[in-house]
Amino acid sequence: MSVLSTEPLSRHSTIRIGGPAERFALPSSMEELLHVLDLVDRGALPGPVRFVGNGSNLLFPDAGLPGTTISLKRMTRFRILPDGSIDADAGTYLPRLAFRAAREGWDGLGFLSGIPGTLGGGIVMNAGTRDGEIGNILEKVRLLDPKGRLHTLDRSEIAFSYRSSPFQSASSGDDRTPWSGYAIVGAVLRAVPGEHAGLMQEWNALRKERARSQPLDCPSLGSVFRNPVPHAAGRLIDQSGWKGRSFGGIQVSALHGNFFVNMGNGTASEFCHLMSLVRKAVFDAAGVCLDPEVETVPAVL
Ligand SMILES: Cc1cc2nc3c(=O)[nH]c(=O)nc-3n(C[C@H](O)[C@H](O)[C@H](O)COP(=O)(O)OP(=O)(O)OC[C@H]3O[C@@H](n4cnc5c(N)ncnc54)[C@H](O)[C@@H]3O)c2cc1C
């Protein structure tokens, strides 16, 4: 297993921003994950610990992160059982899971086809689209507590809401949540029988629609702000006059106002500054206060 020193976090975030992680571990099994946690416990690796997935919703700091950052994106085993339940490791890539389910004739996961995150990160964010969200197809979540003990939570014990779950901030050791310091290590999802050809058609249509409406050729973190129901954040940003404008190396995408893209040499501080400029402009123009969906990681925990 790799435990890397001063690993650039920019390599582990889809917006390609972030300074060095003091240590960065990529376990590919439960045994390896437990081994890393044991090394931290014995002082052989530095704390604090932070769990991440594919970094598709994380803005890492320019200064990097102290302690040991653990990405579960190599823990990728999953199986689809004959009754339609899907038992998957936390690092399973959501589009891969959705594709496999569709190919094998299982319906209900199509909305995950364009979300470039892992199952663990998807559960933390209650990731989804207007067609569905992870909380709706979840049956159980497997968690590892800071002492290395496994717990299984039933869906009925978890209060999900729009892009929100009780696991948010838990991975950073934030003690305002009961899951502080817990890792999501796996989950059971539920699919329903469908028809292979129709599901593959839906898959292709969803991917095409994303490519048409989102700047997928530039590094980004997807939607920067949650939609302030009943409004769409992208439309409000568009109306505020910020679509296509930039600050430093970060641009408000000209294609989709709620996506900020890295033009090549953007930094986390520029991204944050652009967020505050856009929030102020939207508030001045529409009286709406936008709530960030992207998670900004502080340099000092
Ligand atoms: C082009 C693009 C399109 C997108 N479209 C959508 C969309 O349609 N809908 C949507 O909801 N999101 C979308 N996103 C955002 C993002 O993909 C989702 O939020 C995704 O669920 C994040 O998963 P991740 O594995 O990348 O998590 P990360 O960004 O790595 O982490 C997110 C949070 O989860 C925590 N975390 C991650 N894994 C674990 C774990 N195993 N245990 C404990 N904590 C963990 C992290 O510490 C962090 O707090 C998009 C992003 C991009 C770049």
Side-chain angles (χ1 to χ4, degrees):
M1 178 208 8
S2 346
V3 179
L4 308 163
S5 293
T6 60
E7 169 70 358
L9 287 162
S10 53
R11 292 187 185 151
H12 303 280
S13 164
T14 52
I15 194 153
R16 305 281 168 249
I17 288 175
E22 188 176 3
R23 293 285 190 283
F24 194 89
L26 287 154
S28 51
S29 66
M30 194 64 182
E31 294 68 37
E32 289 188 355
L33 173 60
L34 287 168
H35 179 58
V36 176
L37 293 174
D38 183 52
L39 290 176
V40 176
D41 204 40
R42 290 194 281 115
L45 284 175
V49 163
R50 172 183 287 275
F51 300 106
V52 303
N54 197 40
S56 62
N57 199 54
L58 281 172
L59 182 67
F60 290 122
D62 298 320
L65 278 179
T68 301
T69 304
I70 304 177
S71 170
L72 280 79
K73 67 183 168 187
R74 289 195 182 157
M75 290 176 59
T76 58
R77 273 176 297 196
F78 72 91
R79 58 201 174 121
I80 306 179
L81 301 173
D83 67 351
S85 57
I86 302 176
D87 195 312
D89 284 352
T92 305
Y93 190 56
L94 294 171
R96 182 167 163 253
L97 193 60
F99 180 76
R100 182 77 74 79
R103 202 181 62 185
E104 295 185 14
W106 293 103
D107 198 357
L109 276 72
F111 70 92
L112 297 173
S113 62
I115 303 181
T118 63
L119 178 59
I123 292 170
V124 172
M125 290 309 298
N126 190 19
T129 65
R130 67 172 84 90
D131 299 325
E133 54 190 33
I134 285 206
N136 296 344
I137 56 165
L138 193 70
E139 296 212 318
K140 290 180 195 311
V141 176
R142 284 192 297 278
L143 297 161
L144 195 66
D145 74 18
K147 294 202 172 349
R149 292 173 304 211
L150 264 179
H151 303 260
T152 301
L153 279 185
D154 199 73
R155 167 66 181 88
S156 58
E157 299 173 81
I158 311 167
F160 286 104
S161 55
Y162 167 63
R163 300 299 165 268
S164 179
S165 84
F167 307 114
Q168 275 167 17
S169 304
S171 51
S172 60
D174 182 333
D175 55 14
R176 286 165 299 174
T177 149
W179 311 115
S180 179
Y182 283 59
I184 294 175
V185 292
V188 178
L189 306 174
R190 164 69 47 195
V192 292
E195 189 256 320
H196 168 81
L199 290 169
M200 293 313 295
Q201 226 168 21
E202 180 199 27
W203 167 272
N204 286 322
L206 288 170
R207 300 280 294 198
K208 244 190 220 155
E209 175 52 22
R210 285 223 177 220
R212 191 195 62 76
S213 59
Q214 299 181 354
L216 300 184
D217 49 346
C218 297
S220 82
L221 293 169
S223 295
V224 176
F225 299 103
R226 292 177 164 91
N227 284 321
V229 181
H231 306 285
R235 180 157 309 152
L236 291 173
I237 294 168
D238 198 356
Q239 288 162 355
S240 77
W242 270 89
K243 197 169 175 179
R245 290 174 65 184
S246 50
F247 179 79
I250 308 289
Q251 186 195 37
V252 179
S253 164
L255 190 59
H256 191 311
N258 201 20
F259 277 52
F260 291 7
V261 296
N262 183 354
M263 302 304 283
N265 53 359
T267 64
S269 57
E270 288 166 354
F271 191 104
C272 290
H273 190 65
L274 190 57
M275 274 174 89
S276 58
L277 292 173
V278 168
R279 280 182 97 185
K280 182 170 182 317
V282 167
F283 187 77
D284 290 347
V288 175
C289 189
L290 292 176
D291 175 28
E293 179 169 325
V294 159
E295 184 180 335
T296 309
V297 182
V300 180
L301 297 174

